[in-house]
Amino acid sequence: MACKARADMGKLLPVISFFLGAALTAAFVFLGATLDVNRRISELASWGNGARPAAIRDEVKQFAELAELLQNASMENKTVIMTSINQAYAAPGSLLDLFLESFRLGEGTAPLLDHVLIVAVDPAALETCRSVHRHCYLLRPDGAADYSAEKFYMTKDYLDMMWARNRFQQTILELGFNFLFTDIDIVWFRNPMRHIAITSDIAIASDYFNGDQDSLRNHPNGGFLFVRSMSRTVEFYRQWRELRGQFPPGTNEQKILDKMQGKLSRRLGVRLQFLDTKHCGGFCQLSGDMGKVSTMHANCCTGLANKVQDLRSVLKDWKNYTAAPPEQRRLVRWTKPGKCIH
């Protein structure tokens, strides 16, 4: 039986390699990014890991689907804006509606929706996404995990979801695409990419900005980050994920990055940039000048209902700002978050 299984897999491997190789070759020009295709195919098609042929075929199919979606959604410089949702976040009147509305209300942000890939972690969220947006992808969770309901901060399901997101981001880089990841509880009013230095490999938000964009004393917030696809950033992600085993169980990926960002960046030559909260801010540190703000994050906040209510107030404030005569706009201020707990 073992010999027959190995023989069957031997027949399957060339087929898998052909279709995956064809999809990748047709889809991508790598612009200097390093993609170890052979290693990725080996991961997918290795009979030694106990995977069944049907499971391998499904993963290869999913991989090719992602490649096509990235190609369709990407900008000319191979950059994709990416967010993730579950059924709770995608429900009518929830975070997905507020997120999309902000792009339509912002200054020059509506065209950016053509480059937004929404990653659903359950089938119901995917169905909702497809009813309101062009580029939607189902990230199938490992095992029998169900991510459709609200996941409370730092619970096991929440941590598993964050680490799955981290691995998915690495896959985007391996496929040769830059990404700007934005949490779904972030509203957009201007294009934040103009604040990302062309010399930065990774640009990331911080809840409280210390005034120096190069300072590793800033504490990163992984809910908003830009990463360029290159061999050193792929390796950065790989080593970041490996560090999980060196920390106590229950440590999230953001805490590990906070502790190890200096060591990782120096070892791999990765330049980190921390984004100023006056441009990419949130409830932790509200931007004082609405004429400069690009994004607003419902950080320092727990509970889906609280985030939704206070982000609605943010959108209302923005409407008041844009409706005011230019000479009076400087008088408009953000409403202090009422439901979110600091």
Side-chain angles (χ1 to χ4, degrees), residues 113-245:
L113 285 173
D114 291 337
H115 305 294
V116 174
L117 174 65
I118 299 178
V119 179
V121 295
D122 62 82
L126 178 68
E127 183 178 355
T128 300
C129 177
R130 286 176 171 169
S131 71
V132 296
H133 189 65
R134 288 177 55 195
H135 308 300
C136 305
Y137 177 75
L138 177 61
L139 176 62
R140 297 169 179 85
D142 294 331
D146 179 7
Y147 295 137
S148 61
E150 178 184 358
K151 299 305 175 187
F152 296 98
Y153 184 64
M154 296 305 290
T155 61
K156 181 182 182 303
D157 282 350
Y158 173 89
L159 291 169
D160 288 345
M161 192 162 63
M162 292 300 100
W163 282 108
R165 183 181 81 180
N166 183 276
R167 181 63 185 91
F168 182 71
Q169 290 173 350
Q170 181 180 329
T171 299
I172 303 300
L173 300 175
E174 290 171 339
L175 287 171
F177 289 86
N178 315 313
F179 68 80
L180 197 169
F181 179 83
T182 170
D183 270 344
I184 196 66
D185 64 344
I186 297 178
V187 288
W188 285 48
F189 299 124
R190 297 182 179 91
N191 187 345
M193 286 181 274
R194 59 184 175 173
H195 302 298
I196 297 171
I198 61 173
T199 56
S200 297
D201 298 326
I202 298 176
I204 190 166
S206 53
D207 292 334
Y208 300 95
F209 182 63
N210 70 9
D212 180 358
Q213 68 175 6
D214 298 316
S215 171
L216 293 172
R217 294 183 180 275
N218 285 297
H219 300 291
N221 185 314
F224 192 86
L225 78 159
F226 172 82
V227 187
R228 299 188 197 278
S229 175
M230 49 185 59
S231 57
R232 61 179 177 266
T233 55
V234 171
E235 184 63 15
F236 186 99
Y237 262 80
R238 190 189 68 78
Q239 293 190 22
W240 179 5
R241 290 173 55 249
E242 282 187 347
L243 287 168
R244 185 180 185 184

Side-chain angles (χ1 to χ4, degrees), residues 7-290:
D8 289 344
M9 187 57 66
K11 296 176 182 178
L12 180 62
L13 289 178
V15 176
I16 292 172
S17 299
F18 172 78
F19 283 107
L20 182 56
L24 293 173
T25 301
F28 308 127
V29 175
F30 288 108
L31 298 178
T34 297
L35 172 61
D36 189 347
V37 178
N38 291 330
R39 185 176 70 180
R40 185 60 173 150
I41 292 174
S42 177
E43 289 175 357
L44 291 173
S46 172
W47 62 268
N49 63 9
R52 298 185 304 276
I56 294 172
R57 286 195 298 268
D58 287 345
E59 190 168 356
V60 171
K61 180 180 178 182
Q62 185 182 10
F63 196 63
E65 177 191 354
L66 175 60
E68 182 178 359
L69 279 169
L70 290 168
Q71 184 69 20
N72 292 337
S74 66
M75 305 174 191
E76 291 183 0
N77 65 350
K78 306 280 283 186
T79 297
V80 175
I81 300 168
M82 183 170 59
T83 191
S84 61
I85 58 171
N86 63 8
Q87 184 177 357
Y89 299 159
S94 191
L95 292 173
L96 177 59
D97 284 349
L98 298 175
F99 177 80
L100 295 175
E101 183 182 1
S102 73
F103 278 83
R104 300 182 186 112
L105 293 174
E107 296 179 355
T109 49
L112 294 176
L113 285 173
D114 291 337
H115 305 294
V116 174
L117 174 65
I118 299 178
V119 179
V121 295
D122 62 82
L126 178 68
E127 183 178 355
T128 300
C129 177
R130 286 176 171 169
S131 71
V132 296
H133 189 65
R134 288 177 55 195
H135 308 300
C136 305
Y137 177 75
L138 177 61
L139 176 62
R140 297 169 179 85
D142 294 331
D146 179 7
Y147 295 137
S148 61
E150 178 184 358
K151 299 305 175 187
F152 296 98
Y153 184 64
M154 296 305 290
T155 61
K156 181 182 182 303
D157 282 350
Y158 173 89
L159 291 169
D160 288 345
M161 192 162 63
M162 292 300 100
W163 282 108
R165 183 181 81 180
N166 183 276
R167 181 63 185 91
F168 182 71
Q169 290 173 350
Q170 181 180 329
T171 299
I172 303 300
L173 300 175
E174 290 171 339
L175 287 171
F177 289 86
N178 315 313
F179 68 80
L180 197 169
F181 179 83
T182 170
D183 270 344
I184 196 66
D185 64 344
I186 297 178
V187 288
W188 285 48
F189 299 124
R190 297 182 179 91
N191 187 345
M193 286 181 274
R194 59 184 175 173
H195 302 298
I196 297 171
I198 61 173
T199 56
S200 297
D201 298 326
I202 298 176
I204 190 166
S206 53
D207 292 334
Y208 300 95
F209 182 63
N210 70 9
D212 180 358
Q213 68 175 6
D214 298 316
S215 171
L216 293 172
R217 294 183 180 275
N218 285 297
H219 300 291
N221 185 314
F224 192 86
L225 78 159
F226 172 82
V227 187
R228 299 188 197 278
S229 175
M230 49 185 59
S231 57
R232 61 179 177 266
T233 55
V234 171
E235 184 63 15
F236 186 99
Y237 262 80
R238 190 189 68 78
Q239 293 190 22
W240 179 5
R241 290 173 55 249
E242 282 187 347
L243 287 168
R244 185 180 185 184
Q246 300 179 23
F247 284 78
T251 306
N252 67 358
E253 85 296 348
Q254 186 169 290
K255 184 69 173 179
I256 292 174
L257 179 61
D258 188 17
K259 294 292 186 182
M260 303 301 293
Q261 60 191 5
K263 183 176 181 180
L264 284 177
S265 60
R266 286 190 294 268
R267 177 194 300 163
L268 299 172
V270 169
R271 192 209 164 184
L272 288 173
Q273 175 192 356
F274 293 88
L275 298 169
D276 194 329
T277 50
K278 71 181 178 183
H279 303 303
C280 302
F283 293 167
C284 298
Q285 193 172 45
L286 285 170
S287 174
D289 188 346
M290 295 180 72

